[in-house]
Amino acid sequence: MTEPTLGAVLDLSDTIVALATPPGRGALAIVRLSGPAAHDIARAALDRWPEQPRAARVSVVRDSLGEAVDEAVVLRYDAPASFTGEHAVELMTHGGAVVPTTVLAALIARGARLARPGEFTRRAVLNGKLDILQAEATGDLVSASSHAAQRAALRQLDGGLSRRVLALRDDLIALEALIAYDIDFPEEDDGPIAPARISAAADAVVGALDRLLATARAGELVREGALVVLAGAPNVGKSSLFNAILGQARAIVTDIPGTTRDAIEAIVDTPTIPLRLVDTAGLRQAVDPVERIGVEVSESYLERASLVLLCADSAETLAAAATTIAERTRAPLVVARTKSDLAPVSDEALAADLRATGARAAVAISAESGAGLEALVQTVVKVIVESGGEIDLDAPVLTQERHRFAVATAFAEASAFRDVWTAGEVPAPVAAVHLRTAVQALEDLVGRVDVEEILDEVFRRFCVGK
Ligand code: GDP
């Protein structure tokens, strides 16, 4: 078999069909059809055709020999008011291993082609229904493995990130328009726009790009989860706490191979951000080789942690571990006072723990009774979010490396423009190249390029004195 060529994939004259639901047993399945002949093909296979777009109609579906294969609910969409922007039909068929496939076959027999992966979304992009960021969000939404990832993808699908990126692109274009006069009349000392005003506009856009770039950290938290490392002396109850949190929360334990002295990791899905909870071996002075491996794992985790949960069952065990751990991490600390069912922990004791360790918070918990576990998880999330500077998890965030790279490029280029412009060392057309590159980076990110739009803007502003 040969690989499909790009041309074939991009060919919008085909009508494509696919099963939109996973194969296998289920009450219902959805067969989706899109393309110029979608209506004709579906109509030929149906006894009844929906008179109105977006209104459901029940109909028998027939194969190419005229034999009934199912009774389905049919929805018709008229271009451009559909997901893909083309004529489209959705058939809600009965589920299972056979029915959806025979419905699919009936439509292929009448001229539809089986869609390639992502082809419906690709058509939506080509027809201007979604931009690339939104298309990406569709994929992220389907594969979201935490509530935070789901919310971030929904916000991106809504176009929030695209709007922010395009607003920044417009600011850069406005800046290009401001220096257009200088490009045309380089010999004149005083153009209509004061150089200081251009510098101020450049400062503003560089600052805004920097703030957008800073959201990549929130994006990383959403995607990867925040690394929370349990640390403390042996036998203080770390493993019990780990298991108790997992027992309460919706968690997936990942298999990190190794001995009992190695680390185990689990994802705890909190409503705000997913936590990657890691239980490492105690920080006892390592003597035997197996234990040493455990300590080394602890240290490598401690260096990368978003937060370290300092576990201790008394002021003494806390003191024993606190210094060693604090030396090995830059992450904020939260004290978990364990085994609170054995001896109640007073507020004074918790306050003393904070003073002794410099931790952000101290929470008394019992793995045995479950007391304090929820408060501990909430505290951990709060400290992580707060320690990230101004991260706002409800604003659009850069969730992918591709996003970060594009915005970092735009930021670097806009900064370079500001610097050379302020220094006045290079002619305006040369400085403008930096702006053009920055605009290009943002347009590539969103997947929209319209040179006409830029020229319009430039000339609209330029006309003043010319
Ligand atoms: P680790 O070495 O720090 O991982 O400690 P473990 O989780 O293995 O616990 C050490 C001992 O303390 C075990 O015997 C546990 O049963 C006990 N333990 C841990 N958590 C609690 C708790 O919340 N209450 C009580 N009563 N005992 C606990």
Side-chain angles (χ1 to χ4, degrees), residues 372-439:
L373 293 179
E374 217 174 291
L376 180 66
V377 171
Q378 281 170 10
T379 305
V380 163
V381 170
K382 188 163 167 279
V383 170
I384 291 170
V385 171
E386 283 171 2
S387 70
E390 45 169 312
I391 63 169
D392 177 2
L393 290 161
D394 288 318
V397 294
L398 306 177
T399 51
Q400 311 270 344
E401 177 53 25
R402 186 181 84 82
H403 307 166
R404 203 201 56 75
F405 182 75
V407 177
T409 304
F411 170 74
E413 293 291 341
S415 306
F417 166 78
R418 181 190 53 185
D419 296 346
V420 298
W421 179 264
T422 312
E425 281 164 358
V426 299
V430 178
V433 172
H434 289 298
L435 291 180
R436 194 88 296 278
T437 316
V439 167

Side-chain angles (χ1 to χ4, degrees), residues 146-368:
S146 70
H147 285 102
Q150 176 189 14
R151 283 195 308 164
L154 267 179
R155 279 196 303 272
Q156 192 173 320
L157 186 61
D158 170 50
L161 182 56
S162 311
R163 280 193 295 277
R164 188 152 174 206
V165 170
L166 288 174
L168 285 166
R169 179 202 66 157
D170 290 349
D171 290 348
L172 289 164
I173 290 174
L175 204 51
E176 280 187 304
L178 284 181
I179 65 166
Y181 187 92
D182 255 59
I183 294 178
D184 259 37
F185 304 103
E187 66 286 352
E188 290 186 22
D189 284 345
D190 291 317
I193 294 148
R197 192 177 143 202
I198 295 177
S199 295
D203 276 345
V205 72
V206 166
L209 282 165
D210 195 23
R211 284 191 294 282
L212 181 58
L213 198 53
T215 67
R217 182 175 173 274
E220 195 186 319
L221 282 181
V222 166
R223 195 178 62 240
E224 311 285 343
L227 190 63
V228 175
V229 178
L230 279 81
N235 291 320
V236 296
K238 295 183 297 299
S239 303
S240 307
L241 172 58
F242 181 86
N243 291 327
I245 292 177
L246 300 201
Q248 275 217 339
R250 221 165 63 93
I252 311 148
V253 181
T254 54
D255 57 333
I256 299 225
T259 66
T260 51
R261 291 267 158 220
D262 212 332
I264 52 166
E265 194 177 309
I267 305 280
V268 180
D269 186 13
T270 81
T272 321
I273 43 169
L275 303 177
R276 279 172 60 204
L277 198 62
V278 175
D279 181 20
T280 76
L283 280 180
R284 184 166 25 187
Q285 284 303 312
V287 270
D288 76 317
V290 180
E291 204 169 305
R292 267 191 70 126
I293 294 167
V295 172
E296 278 160 12
V297 170
S298 303
E299 292 191 0
S300 86
Y301 273 111
L302 285 173
E303 281 164 16
R304 289 180 288 131
S306 296
L307 183 141
V308 175
L309 209 49
L310 208 49
C311 304
D313 56 1
S314 67
E316 290 72 39
T317 53
L318 183 63
T323 327
T324 326
I325 291 165
E327 276 170 6
R328 287 166 171 74
T329 187
R330 282 166 312 208
L333 304 174
V334 167
V335 173
R337 263 302 201 105
T338 56
K339 309 184 190 177
S340 67
D341 57 298
L342 293 181
V345 186
S346 66
D347 287 348
E348 290 74 37
L350 290 176
D353 286 352
L354 289 185
R355 283 194 300 278
T357 57
R360 303 283 179 89
V363 182
I365 62 102
S366 165
E368 195 71 29

